[in-house]
Amino acid sequence: MNDEWISILMQLRERREPCVLLTLLADKGSVPRNGGTKMVVGLEQTWLTLGGGNLEFQCIAMAREMLANHAAVPRSEHFNLGARLGQCCGGMTTVLFEPLIQPQPQIIVFGAGHVGKALVSLLATLPCHITWVDERSEQFTDVPAGVKALHAEDPLDAVAAAAAQSYFIVMTHHHPRDLELAEAILKRGDYRYFGLIGSRTKRQRFEYRLAGKGINSGQLNAMRCPIGLPDVKGKLPAEIAVAIAAEIIAVYQAAS
């Protein structure tokens, strides 16, 4: 049996990319592939094949729905390969869907100042997907490999576009912008982590203003401000970045 799928899974594991392993468990009559045939489906790519056609198309769609819903439990589906499925084989097959590998954390960093640059450079060395957002395109110098730099006229669009369970870090150059982003993130409510750079005084001011915008105490308590592990001290950009990165690592390791 072709074991290419093993090498594919090992590569995806190293990159911490989520995928679904598809296996033909049984077949009866005329089918595109024999039992034991495997295929790997990722969020954007596929590897190997179940034989093509509408069967494969539907299986890919089901696998990506599992990935989108963070499904963790395997499932099997039975297919009749007749006219209703758009195939003329006439046989029957059962496909096992096995979700594998935890997805990488989705981290959105707002602000490309000194601390933002230090933080993104550090996060880029970790197994995570990073979107770096700033209104000033000239700030995006030496963007680390794998980081998506987003020059956004309205950074609030990046909040709306983010996936559920994302990690939000707000450290822009403009306090009113920080407040707008904080309100949008807190009102979403489906984030894994939200950190806002600033002092305890800034937090108190933001809590007062956010409460006036309908944010309740439970939502405010979920906001990390000051940001970063308190035991990691220092005021240099690199020191602040280490404290924030350490806090994020602790959060996603606990979630795993």
Side-chain angles (χ1 to χ4, degrees):
M1 182 182 295
N2 190 333
D3 59 359
E4 185 180 354
W5 62 275
I6 298 176
S7 298
I8 293 168
L9 292 185
M10 289 179 64
Q11 293 172 22
L12 292 173
R13 181 178 180 84
E14 289 176 1
R15 301 200 299 262
R16 289 183 58 87
E17 291 186 22
C19 67
V20 178
L21 176 64
L22 278 56
T23 306
L24 294 181
L25 292 181
D27 57 82
K28 182 177 181 181
S30 178
V31 294
R33 291 289 190 275
N34 295 326
T37 299
K38 295 182 182 292
M39 180 178 184
V40 181
V41 177
L43 287 167
E44 298 180 354
Q45 290 181 267
T46 64
W47 297 263
L48 308 177
T49 179
L50 297 182
N54 201 32
L55 167 66
E56 185 168 301
F57 178 81
Q58 289 202 23
C59 286
I60 291 172
M62 290 178 181
R64 286 183 171 153
E65 182 181 6
M66 294 177 73
L67 291 172
N69 293 330
H70 305 288
V73 179
R75 64 187 253 202
S76 60
E77 295 287 340
H78 185 72
F79 297 91
N80 291 310
L81 305 181
R84 170 175 270 181
L85 194 62
Q87 302 212 193
C88 57
C89 300
M92 294 182 291
T93 189
T94 301
V95 180
L96 175 65
F97 296 75
E98 297 178 272
L100 302 171
I101 309 173
Q102 291 296 317
Q104 295 182 346
Q106 307 289 319
I107 302 177
I108 300 93
V109 179
F110 294 91
H114 295 303
V115 177
K117 290 177 180 178
L119 176 62
V120 168
S121 295
L122 182 55
L123 293 176
T125 66
L126 301 174
C128 57
H129 292 294
I130 305 165
T131 301
W132 193 11
V133 185
D134 201 292
E135 299 160 81
R136 306 161 295 169
S137 60
E138 67 275 9
Q139 290 296 111
F140 291 123
T141 57
D142 300 323
V143 177
V147 173
K148 178 183 178 182
L150 180 60
H151 170 221
E153 292 185 7
D154 187 354
L156 293 175
D157 292 340
V159 176
Q165 301 302 307
S166 290
Y167 294 64
F168 293 100
I169 304 165
V170 175
M171 48 177 60
T172 80
H173 63 295
H174 195 46
H175 277 214
R177 178 63 77 190
D178 285 354
L179 183 65
E180 291 176 342
L181 289 167
E183 180 185 357
I185 293 165
L186 290 171
K187 284 185 174 178
R188 275 194 58 148
D190 61 353
Y191 52 86
R192 175 71 67 180
Y193 171 91
F194 167 39
L196 171 68
I197 197 166
S199 64
R200 296 190 183 280
T201 300
K202 179 178 179 179
R203 181 187 181 99
Q204 291 172 353
R205 291 174 179 169
F206 271 43
E207 284 184 341
Y208 177 78
R209 293 176 182 175
L210 289 167
K213 295 177 180 290
I215 305 298
N216 62 45
S217 59
Q219 292 171 303
L220 290 171
N221 288 338
M223 178 177 69
R224 296 286 301 184
C225 181
I227 193 173
L229 291 184
D231 290 340
V232 182
K233 303 183 184 301
K235 295 184 178 180
L236 295 175
E239 294 170 330
I240 298 170
V242 167
I244 297 170
E247 186 169 78
I248 291 172
I249 290 169
V251 172
Y252 79 64
Q253 286 184 345
S256 297

